[in-house]
Amino acid sequence: MGTSEDKVKLLSKDQIEAPFPDVEVEDENTEEDSNHIWRFVCYALAYMVVVGVFLSAITFQNSSTDEQSFSRDAGYKARVRQIRPGERFDDRLMHDMRMREEHRHAKMFPMFKPPPLPESSYDPPSRFEKAKTARYIVHNSDWGSISTISVSMVGVPFGMAISFSDGTVTNSTGVPYFYVAKFDPIVKNIEANNLSTLALSEAQSDYCKVHKWDPEDPLCSRVTLIGKLVHVGPEEEKFALNAIFARHPVMKTWPKDHGWQTLKLVITDVWLVDFYGGATMVPVKDYFKAEL
C-alpha cells in the first residue's frame, strides 16, 4: 500500500484557473446585448400602444361629432342605388355626402392630407345651378359632336366633330352657330330630317383632367342640346358670322369656293349630367334665362 502522500495529487496551475474545462462560460457581452434587444422591443411596443390610443381618440371624436352624418351616408348610398333613369335627387344632400366621403380620411389623419390641385382656367358654376352650368359648358366649348340622321346610309345615326360658337367671348347667347361647307354630310342630312343633337363635355377643357375625373364620371359634367339644325336667316347671318369668327378666326381664311353655309341649332331640349343621381332635363326657358 502506498503512503498518504502518494494519494494526494497536486493540481496544476491550468486546472486551478479552469476547474471545469469541459463547461463553456457564457460571455458577459452576449448577455448585455440580449438585454438591449429586449429593452428595444419593450420600448417599441409601448410606442405603438401610445400611437394606437392617440389615433383611436381622434377617430372616436370624429365619429361622435359626425355620427348622424355617417348614419345618413348609408341612407344616401342606398337611395342612390334605387334611383331610376331620369329621376332627380336632392343634389345638396348628395353633394354633402360626397364631400364627407372625400375628406373623411383627411379629417381623421390630417398629416396625410392630399396635395392641393393645380389651378385650372375653367371655373364652372355651382352644381346647384343647372341652367347656368349648361350655358357655361356651351359657351366655353369650341367644338362638339353633332349627330344627324344620315341620308347616304339610309337612316343610320351619323355623328361628327364640329366647331361652333354661341357668341363672342364676352357675349353668350346659348345658341350654337356652325360654319360648314355645302358638300358637308350634315347639310344633305338636314334637308331630309333636320333633327340633331350636339354633345359637349367639360372633358374638352383641363378641368376634369386636373381633378382626375374620367369623361364618363358624373362629376365631369356633360350636356346634350337637342333640336333642329336650320340655316341662319339673312337678318341673323352677320351676327352669327361675327360670333363664329371671334372664336375661330382661322375660318376667315378658308377657301371661298366651298360654298360655306351658316347654320344654327334651334334648341328644344337640354339634357345635363353634372352630378350623381341621374340626368336633369333643364327647361329651355331657364337655359336661355341664365346669365354668365
Side-chain angles (χ1 to χ4, degrees):
M1 295 181 63
T3 62
S4 59
E5 288 80 8
D6 295 334
K7 296 180 180 180
V8 176
K9 293 183 179 180
L10 298 177
L11 297 176
S12 66
K13 182 178 179 181
D14 294 337
Q15 290 175 321
I16 294 174
E17 292 179 354
F20 305 102
D22 296 335
V23 179
E24 294 183 359
V25 179
E26 185 175 311
D27 191 356
E28 293 182 358
N29 293 332
T30 304
E31 184 177 356
E32 291 181 1
D33 292 341
S34 178
N35 291 336
H36 287 316
I37 293 174
W38 280 108
R39 190 178 298 112
F40 174 79
V41 171
C42 292
Y43 286 156
L45 290 175
Y47 177 78
M48 293 174 63
V49 170
V50 172
V51 172
V53 171
F54 175 73
L55 295 179
S56 299
I58 296 177
T59 304
F60 177 77
Q61 181 180 3
N62 284 317
S63 61
S64 61
T65 55
D66 288 345
E67 182 178 1
Q68 295 181 352
S69 299
F70 288 3
S71 63
R72 285 199 301 268
D73 284 356
Y76 294 161
K77 294 176 183 177
R79 179 69 178 90
V80 171
R81 288 193 292 269
Q82 298 174 2
I83 291 178
R84 299 179 178 86
E87 181 182 359
R88 299 187 62 180
F89 188 54
D90 192 323
D91 295 322
R92 185 174 296 277
L93 298 181
M94 289 296 299
H95 180 268
D96 292 343
M97 180 199 75
R98 176 71 176 180
M99 292 303 101
R100 281 197 298 274
E101 288 182 344
E102 288 186 351
H103 297 292
R104 186 175 300 166
H105 186 271
K107 287 169 60 181
M108 293 172 60
F109 306 103
M111 67 287 293
F112 298 125
K113 284 185 178 179
L117 294 172
E119 293 184 0
S120 172
S121 58
Y122 195 88
D123 186 22
S126 167
R127 298 185 188 276
F128 307 125
E129 300 177 278
K130 302 298 184 181
K132 191 173 182 179
T133 297
R135 280 287 297 274
Y136 187 88
I137 296 174
V138 172
H139 183 60
N140 286 275
S141 298
D142 291 327
W143 65 276
S145 176
I146 194 166
S147 297
T148 55
I149 302 300
S150 175
V151 172
S152 60
M153 289 181 278
V154 193
V156 175
F158 177 78
M160 57 177 284
I162 191 170
S163 298
F164 77 96
S165 173
D166 82 322
T168 61
V169 176
T170 58
N171 180 25
S172 168
T173 66
V175 177
Y177 294 102
F178 309 92
Y179 192 63
V180 296
K182 63 180 179 181
F183 44 77
D184 194 288
I186 65 173
V187 175
K188 295 181 179 180
N189 293 342
I190 64 175
E191 291 177 357
N193 187 343
N194 63 0
L195 290 178
S196 306
T197 60
L198 178 66
L200 311 172
S201 171
E202 285 183 336
Q204 296 170 226
S205 69
D206 62 345
Y207 187 69
C208 298
K209 186 175 182 180
V210 163
H211 289 78
K212 298 182 179 180
W213 293 333
D214 186 85
E216 199 171 339
D217 191 316
L219 295 179
C220 186
S221 304
R222 54 190 183 272
V223 62
T224 298
L225 304 179
I226 306 165
K228 297 181 178 181
L229 192 60
V230 301
H231 289 82
V232 172
E235 70 284 352
E236 192 180 2
E237 186 170 12
K238 182 178 180 180
F239 175 84
L241 289 175
N242 287 336
I244 293 171
F245 294 154
R247 304 290 291 273
H248 306 277
V250 70
M251 289 183 174
K252 291 182 179 180
T253 65
W254 287 356
K256 302 297 182 182
D257 59 352
H258 281 43
W260 297 103
Q261 301 184 21
T262 309
L263 308 177
K264 72 174 181 178
L265 184 65
V266 180
I267 301 173
T268 58
D269 297 280
V270 179
W271 183 90
L272 172 71
V273 171
D274 70 335
F275 204 69
Y276 302 101
T280 299
M281 297 302 298
V282 179
V284 176
K285 62 178 181 179
D286 293 344
Y287 170 81
F288 284 111
K289 191 185 299 183
E291 297 182 0
L292 300 182

